[in-house]
Amino acid sequence: MNNSGELATERGVLEYEKIENTVKITGYRGKDTAVEVPGSIDGYCVTCIGKKAFLSNKMVKQISLPESILQIEDWAFAFCGKLAKIILPYHDMEIGQGIFKDCSALVQIIDEHGDECDPRTEDISYLLAAVMSQLDAFYLFDFENAGTEEWQMGCEDAPADADAGCGGVFQDAFVRGRGLWQQGEQSGLLYGTAQEREGQAGDAQADA
């Protein structure tokens, strides 16, 4: 029985492998700029994005993952130079090494279940993108705790490129257009939206 197959997308194909009663996405070929991974193929739940499945893709800008995903293996999306946004359901899943390594265009990792009325939802999507594309630390992939003091300490301990480091990552988040973090004299990195930070800066100037 052939357990491998291909599923056509608009301008390419997803390669997959059936394993017992589930499906693993093993690769992608094509010219799509947006790829939506289905929740099932031939009646089997898609539960895994395989190792290097999208490695070094030069076309894809957005990827959406289904609710059924339970595992993302090593370097699944690494070196995707144009990948800017990934949408996924945040729940317990096994995360491999360097899944977004050197995705230099990545600006948002979005939890599809996030509360759109909570200003932190969009802010955290920008922060996680900056962190996950530069630090090889799967344990930082945490929508619930991102931005807490404990999470920030984990960021400081994470391996990073020589010219990145935790401070460089947060500065990168600011340059990408959000400015979520600000160095404080007493309490380290303080959370705030871009609008709040502008207000704080104005207050500081007025006090001066």
Side-chain angles (χ1 to χ4, degrees):
M1 179 180 176
N2 186 0
N3 290 324
S4 299
E6 295 183 348
L7 179 70
T9 62
E10 185 175 347
R11 301 185 64 189
V13 293
L14 285 167
E15 301 169 353
Y16 64 87
E17 180 180 357
K18 293 178 182 177
I19 302 174
E20 296 182 350
N21 295 320
T22 64
V23 169
K24 174 194 287 191
I25 301 298
T26 56
Y28 167 78
R29 306 190 317 272
K31 297 182 178 181
D32 293 289
T33 57
V35 175
E36 182 173 353
V37 176
S40 65
I41 297 176
D42 295 337
Y44 295 89
C45 284
V46 177
T47 61
C48 179
I49 305 297
K51 185 175 181 178
K52 301 181 179 180
F54 288 82
L55 182 73
S56 298
N57 182 276
K58 305 301 183 186
M59 298 296 295
V60 176
K61 298 179 180 180
Q62 177 175 313
I63 297 174
S64 300
L65 302 183
E67 181 73 29
S68 56
I69 289 293
L70 299 176
Q71 182 179 13
I72 303 175
E73 294 185 347
D74 297 348
W75 308 298
F77 309 104
F79 303 101
C80 288
K82 292 186 178 181
L83 181 62
K85 179 186 297 186
I86 185 158
I87 303 168
L88 48 74
Y90 180 67
H91 52 223
D92 284 341
M93 64 175 73
E94 185 176 346
I95 303 294
Q97 294 182 339
I99 59 173
F100 299 114
K101 181 176 175 61
D102 286 349
C103 290
S104 58
L106 188 64
V107 292
Q108 283 188 286
I109 299 175
I110 299 173
D111 176 13
E112 69 171 17
H113 300 312
D115 182 359
E116 295 181 357
C117 296
D118 184 346
R120 297 185 77 243
T121 299
E122 185 177 11
D123 291 346
I124 292 301
S125 75
Y126 282 87
L127 178 63
L128 285 179
V131 169
M132 294 300 295
S133 62
Q134 297 185 52
L135 302 183
D136 189 12
F138 66 88
Y139 54 86
L140 295 173
F141 187 67
D142 186 346
F143 282 89
E144 294 179 0
N145 296 304
T148 63
E149 183 177 357
E150 182 179 1
W151 182 90
Q152 186 247 324
M153 290 174 63
C155 179
E156 291 178 339
D157 294 337
D161 295 335
D163 60 349
C166 186
V169 168
F170 289 120
Q171 177 63 22
D172 184 63
F174 175 76
V175 169
R176 291 181 186 198
R178 296 301 297 174
L180 311 180
W181 302 90
Q182 163 179 322
Q183 188 66 42
E185 294 180 1
Q186 300 293 331
S187 57
L189 294 170
L190 304 177
Y191 174 80
T193 65
Q195 184 176 5
E196 289 169 341
R197 287 192 56 187
E198 289 174 1
Q200 291 168 358
D203 292 342
Q205 291 176 357
D207 293 340

